[in-house]
Amino acid sequence: MPATQENEIAITVYAPALVGNDGRPLAVVQRMERALPGLRLEWTISSEGKRIPVPQREAFLARGRPNGRGFPLLRNGDDDFRVTVTGLELPAGSSPGGQAQLDIHAVLPLTVDGIAAAAEVLEAVAEGARAFWGHATPFNAGVDIARQTKNWAANPQPPPRGLPALKLPWNIRSPEIPHQLGWLNYWSAAAEEAIGFPDPTRDAELLSRSRRTATGGWVVRLTDAPLDLDNPAHLDALKRAYERFPEIGGRATP
């Protein structure tokens, strides 16, 4: 199957900004490789869109992006099972709490193997980056979830599918508060405290599909199968999670 956005799982995590060459980009890459046996992220993409090898990967990551903000894209060499990762720095003015952040994007194929590995890879990226929070979501569901974040002045239309409107990131009071939900959600210990998870009584269903991470965070799965908002049960699960966690998206604060 040719690689397209529609058959991808997008992984996004938000972490503290890089401080010099602090080693987290390499840690993310190495943890991804351990999470997905056989994966080797030893290639990048040229300006012409061609796949080219990266023989000195650690130095390549340490040099950062050409604009000095984040780290450059790496991918594997298998065009039939394409995996990528890159990091972008978000300036303080566009980030929650006025704190610059590292925004890491990884992509897995929406295949049997990609779906099976998604939770492990999300955890690997998030814990390697020492992230506040993150999520892994199939592309199609992610489009509607992204449309929940509203600049009402620019677009007065409500979000799709009856989903709640979420604040723009820079209007959220702290970086520990997730901007949105996804299919698989990574919440650090700080994020858990910010949103009030877990409550053993109210979160029994979510906890049945969740697991603790080595650093005290959680990977929380909203639905057993990849999130599909054309499925009424999946849409209902997403809406219930938003009702349970009003802090997410900055909705609990004026």
Side-chain angles (χ1 to χ4, degrees), residues 147-160 163 165:
R147 290 169 61 197
Q148 292 182 252
T149 300
K150 296 298 299 181
N151 180 341
W152 288 102
N155 179 8
Q157 297 300 313
L163 292 167

Side-chain angles (χ1 to χ4, degrees), residues 9-147:
I9 301 170
I11 296 173
T12 307
V13 309
Y14 294 86
L18 293 171
V19 180
N21 180 24
D22 68 13
R24 283 183 290 147
L26 181 61
V28 166
V29 169
Q30 291 174 334
R31 285 177 181 239
M32 286 180 68
E33 291 175 338
R34 289 198 293 270
L36 192 52
L39 178 67
R40 293 299 298 169
L41 296 165
E42 297 179 324
W43 302 76
T44 191
I45 304 295
S46 71
S47 56
E48 294 80 26
K50 297 184 182 299
R51 175 162 50 89
I52 54 177
V54 178
Q56 301 294 328
R57 186 173 70 181
E58 187 170 349
F60 177 77
L61 289 170
R63 284 197 300 271
R65 297 173 65 87
N67 62 10
R69 299 170 67 176
F71 63 90
L73 182 141
L74 283 173
R75 61 156 293 176
N76 62 339
D78 184 352
D79 290 330
D80 294 324
F81 190 85
R82 187 179 64 184
V83 179
T84 66
V85 63
T86 189
L88 307 171
E89 185 174 308
L90 302 177
S94 63
S95 300
Q99 300 179 38
Q101 290 190 335
L102 177 64
D103 177 7
I104 299 178
H105 293 268
V107 169
L108 293 173
L110 186 61
T111 62
V112 171
D113 290 341
I115 291 165
E120 294 281 356
V121 175
L122 171 62
E123 180 179 345
V125 174
E127 304 240 310
R130 300 195 291 276
F132 299 116
W133 69 279
H135 67 88
T137 305
F139 174 83
N140 287 339
V143 169
D144 279 349
I145 291 170
R147 290 169 61 197

